[in-house]
Amino acid sequence: MKRDHVLTWDQYFMAVAHLSAMRSKDPNTQVGACIVNAQKRIVGLGYNGFPMGCDDDVYSWERDGDYLETKYPYVVHAELNAILNSIQNLAGCTLYVSLFPCNECAKAIIQSGIARVVYEDDKYDGTPNNVASKKMFHDAHVELVRLPYSLKVRVEPIDHE
């Protein structure tokens, strides 16, 4: 007899997004993204971090201070990394992301042809960037699905001594 209590596809791919987030070295916010095609195949993964070649021991992870001395002008968001890391055309795909996309990521998501965004946390709800994201998603007919956080993924990194 088969098991009854298995992950839904949405829970499964959100868990993969959370696993990707664990690669982020950001001390404050770790975000992961997973792009899936219509055949339920992962076609892109990403997490928030600095661009290739930009040393994360040199660039600042600070949130406050002079803008150029903070992380904000340099960090690539998880959604954009997943799009840039994708292995196929993304038209009609679903993006799973642990944090609702900012307005800049929303533009990239729409332009890439992603049709559905499944997210968990909407902690910036009502802020101007969040409102802009939702307006663009609505006007571009991108489906938004909020997945209640119901699965705790806990993986301990291996210490390589």
Side-chain angles (χ1 to χ4, degrees):
M1 186 164 189
K2 70 177 184 179
R3 287 180 45 226
D4 288 331
H5 301 291
V6 298
L7 296 176
T8 66
W9 284 112
D10 283 346
Q11 290 170 327
Y12 175 76
F13 292 122
M14 187 61 74
V16 172
H18 278 284
L19 190 61
S20 296
M22 295 177 74
R23 286 284 309 143
S24 175
K25 295 180 182 175
D26 189 320
N28 299 297
T29 305
Q30 301 82 43
V31 180
C34 176
I35 303 173
V36 178
N37 67 16
Q39 292 74 41
K40 298 193 180 348
R41 302 291 186 263
I42 295 172
V43 297
L45 293 170
Y47 56 88
N48 57 314
F50 295 124
M52 288 186 293
C54 297
D55 190 336
D56 51 39
D57 289 325
V58 174
Y59 281 77
S60 174
W61 288 107
E62 293 300 318
R63 297 176 357 169
D64 299 312
D66 177 44
Y67 182 69
L68 293 177
E69 300 300 320
T70 68
K71 66 181 179 177
Y72 298 112
Y74 309 108
V75 167
V76 181
H77 287 182
E79 303 93 323
L80 185 55
N81 266 326
I83 290 168
L84 295 171
N85 291 331
S86 64
I87 59 172
Q88 74 170 52
N89 181 303
L90 301 179
C93 287
T94 296
L95 169 75
Y96 292 85
V97 63
S98 52
L99 181 64
F100 191 86
C102 73
N103 63 306
E104 292 299 320
C105 288
K107 291 183 240 181
I109 291 164
I110 293 165
Q111 288 298 95
S112 72
I114 290 171
R116 183 172 176 251
V117 174
V118 179
Y119 65 96
E120 279 182 344
D121 193 358
D122 194 8
K123 75 176 181 178
Y124 298 109
D125 185 32
T127 64
N129 285 345
N130 182 273
V131 171
S133 292
K134 289 176 180 171
K135 177 178 175 36
M136 287 187 286
F137 283 140
H138 177 268
D139 291 347
H141 306 287
V142 174
E143 180 185 1
L144 299 176
V145 177
R146 185 161 192 181
L147 184 65
Y149 189 71
S150 60
L151 178 68
K152 195 72 165 168
V153 177
R154 182 156 176 83
V155 178
E156 294 296 326
I158 298 171
D159 188 14
H160 297 283
E161 291 184 20

